[in-house]
Amino acid sequence: MSVIGIDIGGTNIRIGHDCNGKLKDFVKISTKENLKEGKIVECLANIIKKYIGEYCKDEEIQQIAIGIPATLSADRKEILQVPNIKGMNNIRLGEELEKVLGIKVALERDVHMLYFWDKYEQKIADDGIGIGIYIGTGVGNAIFINGKPLAGKDGAAGELGHIPMIGGKEQCGCGNLGCSECYASGWKLVQIKDKCFPETTMNELFVKHSNSHILREYVDAIACVACSEINILNPDSIIFGGGVINMKGFPKELLEERLYVHARKPYPAENLDIKYSVDKPDNGVKGAIIFAKTLI
Ligand SMILES: [Zn+2]
């Protein structure tokens, strides 16, 4: 008996299955080449069938869990809006795949799968409130209460990247103006690099310039955004992750200093439990497997 975890991203689809608590047969394929607009269910069903045929044909698959970079309905049945993959909106993907595969399929936001993994790896207890803040291209956010992801009335809870900043005028990818993502995301960091440090590679940006005024302001923006959630929830633990946080030379000390500055005193400021996620390509799949196992 086994479960399969799938992580669908704008660039890659990653798949793996569980073998006695270890990830086995991790596979990565291109999203663009394998998911065709108008045939999303058919394409995914074929990918899964092929994977099972190659790697787990002698096992009974009890559950599949799929992480999607999307807004999902509150009951996690329907994909409402995917910014980066064409043709995925308004599909009841789990149910459609179940019909074809005859295996139970559950959906969750990709960022929740990341948190499921981090929670396991960092041995975070289920009790209380845990938050994950993932600074990648955008600002990903997971809020877990007593071990379960918070979905909200419409499934749209945890949109920390779209907190409106007072006076913010920049255009956000979501259509609104002045969202926090316009100041604290990976795409903002690319803009800063192109404008202020065109000679420096992205890899070397913090190594060479983390003391510059503009990058210190950028790290402060991340802290500001994080504290808008920290001051509301007073979480038991905070995990920071994502590509930006994992960049070489990212100034974690400065981030923590600025978090303390913006957090309400004395609490939550005096008792912040800050952890860092190690960015690995299979984290989303491993998280999906952990989630799948909670369903059987
Ligand atoms: Zn926005």
Side-chain angles (χ1 to χ4, degrees), residues 31-162:
T31 306
K32 219 181 204 168
E33 284 169 25
N34 291 284
L35 276 195
K36 302 291 172 210
E37 198 177 344
K39 290 187 176 174
I40 298 283
V41 175
E42 197 183 325
C43 289
L44 258 178
N46 286 337
I47 291 166
I48 297 168
K49 278 186 203 160
K50 187 166 173 253
Y51 183 87
I52 293 174
E54 276 180 40
Y55 301 109
C56 25
K57 62 174 180 295
D58 298 326
E59 287 174 67
E60 185 200 337
I61 306 298
Q62 285 182 296
Q63 177 77 52
I64 297 170
I66 307 179
I68 302 174
T71 310
L72 303 175
S73 60
D75 64 4
R76 296 330 201 199
K77 299 284 185 197
E78 184 175 354
I79 298 171
L80 299 179
Q81 203 248 336
V82 189
N84 298 321
I85 307 165
K86 279 187 183 158
M88 277 193 103
N89 293 353
N90 306 115
I91 297 177
R92 297 181 75 82
L93 186 66
E95 290 167 4
E96 295 289 330
L97 285 173
E98 282 176 9
K99 276 188 226 155
V100 187
L101 299 168
I103 303 168
K104 284 196 289 173
V105 180
L107 311 179
E108 247 312 332
R109 287 171 66 206
D110 58 348
V111 75
H112 286 159
M113 299 306 198
L114 290 180
Y115 189 87
F116 269 115
W117 170 249
D118 286 335
K119 186 163 84 70
Y120 168 80
E121 193 181 43
Q122 314 244 4
K123 300 183 175 60
I124 293 171
D126 277 349
D127 295 346
I129 302 170
I131 64 171
I133 297 171
Y134 298 93
I135 313 290
T137 306
V139 175
N141 180 212
I143 302 170
F144 273 55
I145 298 175
N146 296 329
K148 297 215 162 94
L150 181 73
K153 179 182 154 199
D154 301 301
E159 288 290 353
L160 185 62
H162 303 281

Side-chain angles (χ1 to χ4, degrees), residues 251-272:
K252 289 178 183 166
E253 273 180 30
L254 175 63
L255 175 66
E256 288 173 26
E257 194 185 299
R258 301 313 295 169
L259 285 168
Y260 182 81
V261 167
H262 296 299
R264 179 82 161 92
K265 317 295 181 302
Y267 299 114
E270 300 296 343
N271 197 19
L272 298 177

Side-chain angles (χ1 to χ4, degrees), residues 23 35-36 82-83 107 131 141 147 162 172 174 182 197 212 217 233 240 251 253 261 267 276 288 291-292:
L23 173 67
L35 276 195
K36 302 291 172 210
V82 189
L107 311 179
I131 64 171
N141 180 212
H162 303 281
C172 180
C174 76
C182 304
F197 310 106
S212 63
E217 263 190 347
L233 295 176
F240 280 95
E253 273 180 30
V261 167
Y267 299 114
Y276 293 95
F291 173 56

Side-chain angles (χ1 to χ4, degrees), residues 161-163 171-182:
H162 303 281
I163 300 283
Q171 179 70 54
C172 180
C174 76
N176 286 356
L177 290 181
C179 292
S180 55
E181 199 170 283
C182 304

